[in-house]
Amino acid sequence: MGLAKTEMFTDQQNEIALFAKVFGHPARVSILQYLFKINSCVCGDLVNQIGLAQPTISQHLKELKHLGLIKGNVEGTSVCYCIHTENWIKMKETMLQFLNQDISKIEDCC
């Protein structure tokens, strides 16, 4: 399999691709929806709520945290997670700019 050659693309293009990847798995979408629903930090509830094994949940949380869409704080022996509001807003602005680039075009193509 070939390399992605991400260095060939702009920072914004790479960022958009990473955001799209995060939404490419229903478990991550489910985790984000749950965090928005409870509107507070969650500590260890996710396994029961999502229905996946703890290692699987942990891997998805790691991806979400790596992109900065969630943040986690250590409380005792567990880590509590919540939406990283500032980064979420930045991600929405980036994605909306990308997704709305067709709106100003009036002409049909092909």
Side-chain angles (χ1 to χ4, degrees):
M1 184 184 289
L3 299 175
K5 297 187 180 184
T6 56
E7 68 278 353
M8 293 175 47
F9 303 101
T10 67
D11 289 343
Q12 184 184 40
Q13 290 167 335
N14 281 299
E15 186 176 44
I16 290 167
L18 287 173
F19 288 143
K21 178 184 173 189
V22 109
F23 294 115
H25 197 289
R28 291 191 286 269
V29 172
S30 180
I31 289 168
L32 289 168
Q33 286 177 320
Y34 181 71
L35 291 175
F36 275 113
K37 178 181 168 186
I38 63 166
N39 197 26
S40 66
C41 287
V42 62
C43 304
D45 259 350
L46 289 171
V47 172
N48 294 332
Q49 293 298 322
I50 308 298
L52 297 172
Q54 180 61 53
T56 304
I57 295 288
S58 294
Q59 185 62 37
H60 290 299
L61 289 168
K62 181 180 173 184
E63 287 286 327
L64 291 166
K65 191 171 180 185
H66 174 71
L67 276 175
L69 296 180
I70 64 171
K71 55 186 174 179
N73 298 316
V74 177
E75 291 188 12
T77 59
S78 63
V79 181
C80 299
Y81 292 98
C82 62
I83 299 293
H84 192 304
T85 307
E86 292 171 18
N87 290 349
W88 183 263
I89 291 169
K90 181 181 179 283
M91 181 273 306
K92 279 182 22 180
E93 291 169 352
T94 300
M95 293 303 289
L96 283 173
Q97 181 183 8
F98 173 70
L99 294 170
N100 287 336
Q101 64 188 330
D102 65 322
I103 289 177
S104 63
K105 296 188 177 170
I106 299 170
E107 298 178 31
D108 280 338
C109 177
C110 303

